[in-house]
Amino acid sequence: MKKLLIYSCCLLCFSAACQNAPLIESVRIEKKDTIVPVKTDAGIVLASEQQAYPLSVQKLIKAYPGHFSGFEDNHLIWKDGTKMLWDDARKDKTFSQLINESDLEDQLTSMAYPKGKDAPKPKQKEDPGRVRYEPFFKKMYGASAEAVKKNLTTIVWLSKTMNLKLQVTTVNDIHKKMQEISNRLDTMPQLHKYLKNPGGTFMWRKIAGTDRLSMHSFGMTIDVNVEFSDYWRWAIKEEEGDGTRIIEYKNRIPLELVEIFESYGFIWGGKWYHYDTMHFEYRPELLTD
Ligand SMILES: [Zn+2]
């Protein structure tokens, strides 16, 4: 068995997918007779070799190191033992159902986020990142305003030029990531007009016209300058936002700025058909290869 593991792993490591892979710490069985190397981050406990993790589960675990202990019987297992349902087995969800009744599997697999500045304009009903399983974010960042506040800290936004104080979460080291983004942007004066008067970071609230919590509730989201922003809700009525009405795409935010945020694990609301071009939120699971 040991021989088989080593042999299969080496074969796989010559594949294109493995060329850029960091240290391989373990192997596991994906399907019967197939052994897939798993790239792990510190703190992840892998399942036994007999268990199969769907690739999207691997992606989620890799994107949020330190939070999970495994995956079992269609449930993601958090380090404290909490089991969270992965797939509710409902296929053929409508667009509205994906947005309002998502499970974790939908969050990971229903819409692929196109990374980079050459991404095409979003097609109708393509909102990669708006499909979210709310209990996941409550568990990770805090299930109430008070719980989220316990994890907040202050960063200085563009300290050399603007020196604004913003509140962000320390969970997932987001405060450090946001500070690094800010330090980089401080040296790029051509982008500063888009970064002045940021629309906000933390605010526990529901998304206007819905029962869903805004990602601003969790302190891992920032709106840049509203003055240069476009938002689908400013263009059409709320009741027309079920994905059937044609919305004319608008954006004034430079993609140079978007690429910087993406490189730190933040997705951009300008890549949604229901665009929100001031909005960046920390969703590394959609940016992980
Ligand atoms: Zn926002």
Side-chain angles (χ1 to χ4, degrees):
M1 186 59 181
K2 202 173 173 189
K3 231 180 206 171
L4 174 70
L5 284 172
I6 294 165
Y7 177 67
S8 304
C9 185
C10 289
L11 268 185
L12 281 161
C13 282
F14 284 105
S15 74
C18 222
Q19 294 294 311
N20 301 317
L23 183 67
I24 291 165
E25 295 180 359
S26 185
V27 291
R28 68 175 178 78
I29 295 172
E30 169 74 0
K31 293 176 201 148
K32 217 175 176 190
D33 305 328
T34 310
I35 296 167
V36 177
V38 177
K39 292 173 270 178
T40 68
D41 290 292
I44 293 172
V45 179
L46 294 170
S48 70
E49 288 171 8
Q50 280 68 41
Q51 278 183 308
Y53 286 14
L55 286 171
S56 46
V57 173
Q58 290 180 45
K59 220 179 232 194
L60 186 69
I61 290 175
K62 191 180 165 196
Y64 294 98
H67 288 281
F68 311 109
S69 63
F71 182 80
E72 207 175 80
D73 301 330
N74 193 30
H75 285 75
L76 181 70
I77 303 163
W78 293 69
K79 276 252 169 90
D80 66 359
T82 302
K83 291 184 175 181
M84 192 169 270
L85 182 70
W86 175 254
D87 182 1
D88 62 12
R90 289 171 57 200
K91 303 299 162 199
D92 308 319
K93 284 182 187 171
T94 63
F95 176 80
S96 291
Q97 285 169 334
L98 277 175
I99 298 289
N100 294 302
E101 299 162 34
S102 164
D103 61 13
L104 261 181
E105 189 244 358
D106 296 329
Q107 180 179 314
L108 266 287
T109 64
S110 61
M111 298 179 198
Y113 181 86
K115 206 166 29 172
K117 64 177 189 312
D118 299 323
K121 265 198 273 184
K123 292 194 190 106
Q124 197 174 3
K125 299 191 187 184
E126 263 184 21
D127 287 350
R130 284 186 76 222
V131 176
R132 310 175 183 101
Y133 183 57
E134 194 171 284
F136 175 83
F137 298 98
K138 284 183 161 172
K139 174 79 184 149
M140 183 162 283
Y141 296 105
S144 65
E146 290 317 306
V148 174
K149 279 179 191 169
K150 282 186 191 147
N151 297 319
L152 294 182
T153 192
T154 303
I155 63 155
V156 181
W157 185 243
L158 278 79
S159 62
K160 292 190 191 120
T161 48
M162 292 174 212
N163 211 30
L164 295 169
K165 291 194 167 76
L166 297 180
Q167 290 221 292
V168 292
T169 185
T170 56
V171 177
N172 296 320
D173 279 339
I174 287 171
H175 63 308
K176 293 182 186 166
K177 287 165 184 149
M178 203 82 99
Q179 191 65 69
E180 278 182 42
I181 291 171
S182 167
N183 294 346
R184 272 182 72 180
L185 294 172
D186 235 344
T187 65
M188 304 173 81
Q190 74 278 18
L191 296 178
H192 286 180
K193 68 175 181 177
Y194 305 102
L195 304 164
K196 278 196 287 190
N197 309 317
T201 50
F202 168 70
M203 185 181 280
W204 184 271
R205 65 170 167 85
K206 292 201 167 152
I207 299 170
T210 79
D211 240 357
R212 288 175 280 121
L213 278 172
S214 155
M215 289 293 112
H216 288 278
S217 304
F218 302 116
M220 46 67 137
T221 298
I222 182 169
D223 285 345
V224 295
N225 192 352
V226 181
E227 204 186 315
F228 291 95
S229 300
D230 293 287
Y231 185 32
W232 71 272
R233 281 200 165 92
W234 298 339
I236 68 168
K237 290 179 194 147
E238 172 62 35
E239 59 270 25
E240 296 170 327
D242 61 357
T244 51
R245 163 81 191 257
I246 301 295
I247 307 170
E248 189 199 343
Y249 183 77
K250 286 184 193 157
N251 172 43
R252 288 168 284 161
I253 299 292
L255 293 171
E256 189 185 6
L257 178 59
V258 173
E259 277 197 310
I260 292 173
F261 270 99
E262 286 180 350
S263 69
Y264 288 91
F266 290 78
I267 61 163
W268 176 50
K271 290 189 175 171
W272 302 338
Y273 181 70
H274 294 87
Y275 54 84
D276 179 1
T277 69
M278 70 190 113
H279 182 94
F280 292 89
E281 75 180 61
Y282 187 71
R283 297 289 299 285
E285 77 273 28
L286 298 177
L287 293 160
T288 302
D289 293 327

